[in-house]
């Protein structure tokens, strides 16, 4: 029997790497991608996993249409059984203080690039009437993100897109699952320049546990999964709280200088 073929984006570290590791342990063939050269080291580690099959890596910028096309071409015409659209960028500080180029990088990666990849692979899956899609959204998508405005808005888009796409594919054998984690112990906050914030300095969720929850939900064809009891409570409260109040609350955790202790070096 032919092994299942999986594409995982943003797989060099964090949740993406842990998703890829689970797939490697399941014996799936992998094509992993990220916008940093560490993706090659990640691939080498994945190849050593018990039961691992083929693992191909691609260092590519998925914020560009050319990068998305390069990733799609790297599949070499092979049918994609599972797409884990996990690539994403974060950005802290006040919106008007942020560099516009970095703002566009967040939008192009989280929104434009992800949308393009979903459209390409999703059409292929629909033609075959077979496949699974896991989109990494976030509970941040439920909250106006003061001092993290563009990132939260991009995750709101992904959350919404995943539910809409799932409904449109309801009568097919293609499932769409949205993984909505809270703050997770990854390099995200360092890259987003948020180590001096309360959310950046506090303990966070284990990416391996987050990935496992997302993988299991996808394999069971569930529509979504919010990881962790605290995050479930936050998302439930956000649904009944006025947006103005949510924005004020988010400021308390994301504004620079709100860290309770000096960030680890």
């Amino acid at each position: 029997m032919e092994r299942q073929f999986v594409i995982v984006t943003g797989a060099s570290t964090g949740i993406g790497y842990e998703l890829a590791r689970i797939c490697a342990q399941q014996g799936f063939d992998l094509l992993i991608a990220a916008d940093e050269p560490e993706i090659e080291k990640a691939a080498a580690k994945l190849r050593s996993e018990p039961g691992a099959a083929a693992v191909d890596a691609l260092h590519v910028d998925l914020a560009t249409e050319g990068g998305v096309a390069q990733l799609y071409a790297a599949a070499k015409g092979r049918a994609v059984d599972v797409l884990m659209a996990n690539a994403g960028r974060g950005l802290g500080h006040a919106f008007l203080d942020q560099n516009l180029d970095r703002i566009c990088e967040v939008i192009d990666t989280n929104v434009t690039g992800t949308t393009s990849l979903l459209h390409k692979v999703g059409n292929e899956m629909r033609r075959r009437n077979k496949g699974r899609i896991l989109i990494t959204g976030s509970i941040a998508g439920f909250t106006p993100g003061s001092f993290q405005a563009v990132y939260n808005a991009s995750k709101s888009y992904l959350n919404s897109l995943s539910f809409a796409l799932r409904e449109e594919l309801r009568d097919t054998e293609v499932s769409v699952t949205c993984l909505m984690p809270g703050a997770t112990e990854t390099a995200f906050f360092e890259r987003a320049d948020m180590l001096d914030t309360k959310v950046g300095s506090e303990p966070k969720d284990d990416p391996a546990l987050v990935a496992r929850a997302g993988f299991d939900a996808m394999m069971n064809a569930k529509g979504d999964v919010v990881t962790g009891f605290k995050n479930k409570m936050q998302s439930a409260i956000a649904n009944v709280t006025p947006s103005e109040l949510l924005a004020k609350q988010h400021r308390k955790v994301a504004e620079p200088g709100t860290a309770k202790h000096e960030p680890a070096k």
Side-chain angles (χ1 to χ4, degrees):
M1 182 179 297
E2 186 178 12
R3 292 177 183 266
Q4 290 200 48
F5 178 51
V6 183
I7 294 178
V8 187
T9 64
S12 56
T13 60
I15 296 171
Y17 173 77
E18 296 296 339
L19 285 168
R21 189 167 70 91
I22 294 170
C23 292
Q25 293 170 346
Q26 295 287 326
F28 298 167
D29 286 345
L30 278 161
L31 171 57
I32 61 173
D35 62 356
E36 53 189 6
E38 286 77 9
I39 193 67
E40 296 292 347
K41 295 179 181 178
K45 290 167 62 178
L46 291 170
R47 293 182 190 114
S48 67
E49 288 288 338
V55 181
D56 292 323
L58 185 65
H59 177 200
V60 65
D61 184 1
L62 295 175
T64 67
E65 183 60 36
V68 173
Q70 188 179 348
L71 175 60
Y72 191 70
K76 300 177 181 177
R78 186 169 177 183
V80 180
D81 297 291
V82 177
L83 171 63
M84 296 180 166
N86 173 77
R89 294 178 186 264
L91 187 60
H93 295 275
F95 173 73
L96 296 180
D97 295 333
Q98 293 168 344
N99 179 279
L100 183 58
D101 288 341
R102 293 194 67 191
I103 288 173
C104 291
E105 286 177 353
V106 172
I107 296 170
D108 289 343
T109 302
N110 299 8
V111 175
T112 308
T114 300
T115 301
S116 178
L117 183 61
L118 288 168
H119 194 263
K120 289 179 184 297
V121 178
N123 265 296
E124 174 203 315
M125 288 180 172
R126 185 175 63 172
R127 283 192 295 269
R128 294 187 298 117
N129 196 32
K130 180 182 179 182
R132 301 178 190 272
I133 296 172
L134 179 68
I135 300 171
T136 301
S138 175
I139 65 166
F142 298 122
T143 302
S146 308
F147 297 90
Q148 208 176 351
V150 176
Y151 173 78
N152 283 37
S154 72
K155 289 299 182 178
S156 179
Y157 170 86
L158 290 177
N159 291 354
S160 178
L161 177 64
S162 69
F163 285 112
L165 181 58
R166 178 181 175 84
E167 173 59 25
E168 291 174 2
L169 293 171
R170 182 179 61 181
D171 296 327
T172 74
E173 295 301 316
V174 180
S175 67
V176 180
T177 302
C178 188
L179 170 59
M180 294 183 283
T184 305
E185 198 63 61
T186 70
F188 172 89
F189 293 95
E190 179 180 1
R191 293 170 181 165
D193 194 19
M194 294 183 67
L195 292 182
D196 64 341
T197 66
K198 185 174 184 289
V199 67
S201 61
E202 288 183 336
K204 303 171 188 61
D205 295 337
D206 183 343
L209 296 179
V210 171
R212 171 54 68 178
F215 180 85
D216 289 346
M218 179 194 71
M219 295 303 291
N220 289 315
K222 291 184 177 179
D224 65 283
V225 56
V226 176
T227 57
F229 178 76
K230 178 181 177 181
N231 297 328
K232 288 182 172 67
M233 290 294 295
Q234 287 180 350
S235 61
I237 292 171
N239 285 326
V240 296
T241 303
S243 294
E244 183 178 4
L245 179 56
L246 289 173
K248 288 181 179 180
Q249 292 173 339
H250 199 276
R251 180 183 194 133
K252 295 176 182 178
V253 300
E255 186 174 12
T258 55
K260 287 189 174 181
H261 55 78
E262 188 67 20
K265 301 298 184 182

